[in-house]
Amino acid sequence: KQWYQRRVPITAGEDSIKSCLYLFLALLPLKPRMVHGLAEVYTESSSMIKRIILRLVEEPVSKIGMKCKEILQLIEEGPKGAETLVTRVLHILTEKEAPSKELVQMVRNL
């Protein structure tokens, strides 16, 4: 069951978008499966929203870590159009620590 529904596009300013994302991203480490919804929203978003997501995703992804099965699933099966988000997630995960053997193997299989 999907936890979100597609919505009619609205025009929102950067501050409004950030406000919504801050709450969502604060919950992400508590419910890592939400990362799949984030990827789906990312694929359907404007370039402005994509840039905001890419800037704000660092802290929650760092908290989740590379051993999380949901993050690994996103890397392996991320939706078409979310390649930049997946690349950003990979960068965040490997920025301060060496990648796990599982992560290296998964990237090789992409």
Side-chain angles (χ1 to χ4, degrees), residues 53-64:
I53 291 171
L54 293 173
R55 280 195 312 256
L56 298 180
V57 77
E58 183 172 357
E59 185 178 340
V61 169
S62 295
K63 286 181 180 178
I64 294 171

Side-chain angles (χ1 to χ4, degrees), residues 34-77:
M34 291 171 48
V35 76
H36 305 293
L38 180 64
E40 288 293 328
V41 168
Y42 181 87
T43 64
E44 298 178 18
S45 295
S46 69
S47 59
M48 178 186 70
I49 295 172
K50 287 179 179 180
R51 282 192 304 273
I52 294 169
I53 291 171
L54 293 173
R55 280 195 312 256
L56 298 180
V57 77
E58 183 172 357
E59 185 178 340
V61 169
S62 295
K63 286 181 180 178
I64 294 171
M66 69 179 80
K67 294 180 182 173
C68 174
K69 67 177 183 146
E70 300 295 339
I71 291 291
L72 294 174
Q73 184 180 4
L74 172 69
I75 293 166
E76 188 173 37
E77 303 170 7

Side-chain angles (χ1 to χ4, degrees), residues 7 31 34 37 50-51 73 78 84 91 104-105:
R7 291 171 180 77
K31 297 283 186 183
M34 291 171 48
K50 287 179 179 180
R51 282 192 304 273
Q73 184 180 4
T84 305
H91 176 77
V104 170
Q105 188 59 43

Side-chain angles (χ1 to χ4, degrees), residues 4-15:
Y4 69 97
Q5 296 177 358
R6 299 195 189 278
R7 291 171 180 77
V8 176
I10 59 168
T11 304
E14 189 170 332
D15 290 337

